[in-house]
Amino acid sequence: MSGRLIAVVGPSGVGKDSVMQGIAAAAPSIGVVRRVITRDAEAGGEVFDAVSRQRFAEMQAGGAFCLSWQAHGLSYGIPAGVLTAVRSGAEVMANLSRAVLPEAQGMFPGFVVLNLTATPETLAARLAGRGRESAPEIARRLARAGYALPEGMARLDVSNDGPLERTVAEALARLHPVRA
């Protein structure tokens, strides 16, 4: 199989990082991209490289990222080496912003979007449970949950309302369908 980037997207609290970890554990040939973020290293959640705003700007200016964006007051970057790896045949997943999907689609061969969904009740409970945002911040994130994805890209919609194992199994079946 040729390489590809699997863009994992979905609203805050949908479980993108948990699903990605589950997929990587079940299918070790699929790598997980480690993002560079201007977030405190102690913030928890995903495994990432924490940098200052100044360092991020320096890295961006130096071509360290193939994709970068800002969201929720933070800057995010996908290391430039990811593009080289995909072009060399690697299959990797990255938690991406919906805003950079068109750019990613034009850049990466075999690009596909894994769009994770969940009910508003599930999202609210998960956001409150992780304890990183205040009630008004959670409300703002929930208000953004229904934003549409850009048209015209390969997309797999998978619900993450139930057990993680079921979501992972469905995602893998959709990403790697058995060919008869």
Side-chain angles (χ1 to χ4, degrees):
M1 172 184 262
S2 60
R4 71 174 168 176
L5 173 65
I6 302 163
V8 180
V9 301
S12 295
V14 79
K16 294 179 291 286
D17 296 321
S18 296
V19 171
M20 290 170 62
Q21 291 170 0
I23 290 171
S29 64
I30 303 175
V32 177
V33 173
R34 186 175 174 132
R35 302 187 301 176
V36 177
I37 308 175
T38 58
R39 178 190 294 154
D40 184 342
E42 306 303 315
E46 71 182 285
V47 177
F48 63 97
D49 291 329
V51 297
S52 68
R53 291 183 186 278
Q54 179 179 341
R55 179 66 184 132
F56 189 94
E58 291 167 354
M59 292 173 74
Q60 191 171 31
F65 307 123
C66 58
L67 294 169
S68 61
W69 66 94
Q70 293 189 345
H72 309 294
L74 301 171
S75 296
Y76 297 81
I78 301 298
V82 171
L83 180 58
T84 304
V86 168
R87 287 181 175 165
S88 297
E91 184 175 32
V92 298
M93 296 175 287
N95 179 342
L96 294 185
S97 166
R98 292 172 278 210
V100 298
L101 293 179
E103 182 181 358
Q105 181 181 28
M107 183 180 298
F108 286 91
F111 179 77
V112 65
V113 176
L114 177 59
N115 181 44
L116 298 175
T117 63
T119 64
E121 295 79 16
T122 298
L123 297 175
R126 288 179 182 159
L127 288 170
R130 70 185 187 187
R132 289 197 313 228
E133 294 103 356
S134 66
E137 290 169 328
I138 289 172
R140 279 193 297 277
R141 286 185 181 264
L142 289 174
R144 293 193 66 224
Y147 282 170
L149 292 173
E151 295 292 323
M153 51 187 62
R155 163 182 166 174
L156 308 171
D157 295 327
V158 176
S159 170
N160 190 26
D161 274 310
L164 178 62
E165 297 77 21
R166 184 177 74 201
T167 303
V168 167
E170 182 180 347
L172 281 170
R174 304 277 311 277
L175 288 166
H176 296 150
V178 177
R179 289 169 177 71

